[in-house]
Amino acid sequence: MIVYREMRREDVPFISRLEEETFSMPWSEASFLQMMEKEDTAYFVAEEDGRLLGGCGLMLIAGEGNITNVVVAPEARRRGVAAGLLKHLMAEGDRAGLSAYTLEVRVSNEAAIGLYAKLGFVSEGIRPNFYEKPTEDAMIMWKR
């Protein structure tokens, strides 16, 4: 059974390594630890039988949630882990009084865009050249 819970300091090396393996511009361990210490952030992991499967993060800004990270281990993909993480994150955000959620995603990341759309996110614009390595536009998605 997959359990969703708050990220702990001891989870950060795995999540950071997973980001390195997955993204061209990964967050460092120091970045995760710094963000986790802030009062206006929330980070969560998915765990199964004591093994981490992925993680996600949220910044709370003026009653809205900016989803900063979503990463899932390759062997755990296509099992609903990312959807579960996001549902957990938004349920926690709703309890904290958030009224909307936003995120950026590479315009070429069709799998992620499809997942976000299934969760109720809609495209509301493009941030030109938002990503590097390679340079690419970001789709801005919102769930209100």
Side-chain angles (χ1 to χ4, degrees):
M1 181 173 93
I2 298 174
V3 175
Y4 301 96
R5 62 166 174 80
E6 281 193 47
M7 189 182 294
R8 301 178 194 132
R9 290 182 71 81
E10 61 265 25
D11 301 327
V12 170
F14 175 85
I15 297 298
S16 177
R17 196 167 47 253
L18 186 53
E19 280 235 343
E20 255 178 54
E21 295 166 3
T22 305
F23 301 124
S24 62
M25 297 175 60
W27 280 27
S28 67
E29 285 185 40
S31 294
F32 274 107
L33 291 169
Q34 182 181 17
M35 290 300 287
M36 287 171 59
E37 290 177 7
K38 295 183 176 204
E39 284 186 27
D40 59 350
T41 62
Y43 286 83
F44 304 97
V45 295
E47 184 178 51
E48 182 177 49
D49 299 325
R51 236 185 45 225
L52 292 178
L53 305 177
C56 64
L58 177 72
M59 286 179 38
L60 293 72
I61 304 169
E64 298 173 344
N66 180 12
I67 298 170
T68 58
N69 310 69
V70 181
V71 66
V72 174
E75 66 275 9
R77 293 183 188 149
R78 307 199 64 75
R79 291 183 48 207
V81 175
L85 277 165
L86 287 164
K87 287 176 184 175
H88 181 80
L89 175 147
M90 289 186 289
E92 292 296 317
D94 290 351
R95 276 193 273 287
L98 299 183
S99 60
Y101 299 88
T102 187
L103 55 82
E104 289 99 0
V105 59
R106 284 184 180 269
V107 294
S108 64
N109 193 342
E110 294 176 13
I113 291 168
L115 168 65
Y116 302 144
K118 283 182 188 172
L119 293 172
F121 285 82
V122 295
S123 175
E124 292 195 15
I126 299 292
R127 289 195 201 286
N129 304 317
F130 182 78
Y131 291 104
E132 300 172 1
K133 302 178 187 177
T135 300
E136 187 172 1
D137 295 347
M139 180 181 295
I140 304 163
M141 299 187 81
W142 279 90
K143 179 177 179 168
R144 299 181 192 270

